[in-house]
Amino acid sequence: MDLKESLKKFLESIENQLITLKHIDFYANPSVDGSFGEGQITRELKLSKVEVALFDMVSVEGKKGRAIMIEYHGEYKDSLLESDNEGSKDIELVRATFIYVLKLHISDKSIFFNIGEEERRKILKAFIDSTGKLMIFPYIRHILHMLTLEAGFNVPPIKPIMIK
């Protein structure tokens, strides 16, 4: 079975998913405020680390099953581009580090549990790099934009697909 077909079967075996914010550390520069347009700021948003754990779980209904927990660790920074007669420099507006957790409840009959370790790694890597990012990105995008607004910076929302 090719990777695309295996990934499709894996996705079909996900019974439930839960996305939670595990940690966020946010800093806003207190000496700057105002509204800034897209051309006035530089943005960096990247995932610095991904951790995966497989565990047995029990639902509130008492149903036993298995789950995969994927932690996405990321970093974010908005800087103001300021130029004067001496050149240009970046003034940091906000920065954040965060951890979002994606918990996938998997059917015991999933293809995932009936294949070898190497194929399991390939499926997880494909999921983490594509579908998983697409699942968590709206949450990341929303919280970072709201915190930036709360800090007193009126900036455009983060573009829909900016995460690396």
Side-chain angles (χ1 to χ4, degrees):
M1 190 178 319
D2 70 335
L3 181 59
K4 186 176 179 180
E5 189 62 32
S6 296
L7 183 58
K8 182 179 176 188
K9 288 192 179 292
F10 171 72
L11 291 173
E12 290 170 356
S13 71
I14 297 173
E15 294 179 340
N16 193 12
Q17 66 203 25
L18 178 65
I19 299 171
T20 57
L21 176 63
K22 183 176 178 180
H23 169 82
I24 192 157
D25 185 19
F26 185 82
Y27 167 80
N29 187 339
S31 62
V32 182
D33 64 11
S35 296
F36 308 102
E38 198 65 53
Q40 296 174 291
I41 56 176
T42 58
R43 293 185 144 158
E44 296 174 36
L45 176 59
K46 65 180 178 180
L47 295 177
S48 54
K49 181 169 68 167
V50 178
E51 295 179 353
V52 180
L54 177 65
F55 58 94
D56 294 326
M57 51 146 271
V58 179
S59 69
V60 284
E61 299 89 28
K63 183 180 170 187
K64 293 183 178 182
R66 292 187 175 170
I68 299 171
M69 187 166 59
I70 305 168
E71 286 189 359
Y72 289 90
H73 298 240
E75 301 169 14
Y76 177 70
K77 185 169 123 178
D78 273 352
S79 298
L80 176 63
L81 294 170
E82 186 176 84
S83 28
D84 55 20
N85 294 338
E86 300 170 13
S88 63
K89 61 181 179 178
D90 287 350
I91 298 172
E92 185 176 75
L93 296 176
V94 297
R95 77 173 170 273
T97 57
F98 57 86
I99 302 172
Y100 264 94
V101 176
L102 173 57
K103 187 189 291 184
L104 306 172
H105 299 200
I106 308 293
S107 164
D108 282 335
K109 297 169 183 70
S110 172
I111 184 177
F112 190 75
F113 302 112
N114 300 320
I115 58 175
E117 188 67 31
E118 189 59 36
E119 185 151 358
R120 194 179 294 171
R121 286 181 208 267
K122 287 179 185 176
I123 290 172
L124 270 178
K125 180 164 178 23
F127 177 83
I128 289 167
D129 291 342
S130 58
T131 308
K133 278 185 184 178
L134 292 174
M135 290 169 81
I136 66 158
F137 187 69
Y139 293 83
I140 293 169
R141 183 175 178 234
H142 174 74
I143 194 76
L144 292 174
H145 184 64
M146 289 296 106
L147 287 171
T148 302
L149 290 174
E150 287 287 329
F153 303 114
N154 186 8
V155 297
I158 299 169
K159 291 182 180 175
I161 303 293
M162 188 179 150
I163 202 162
K164 294 180 183 179

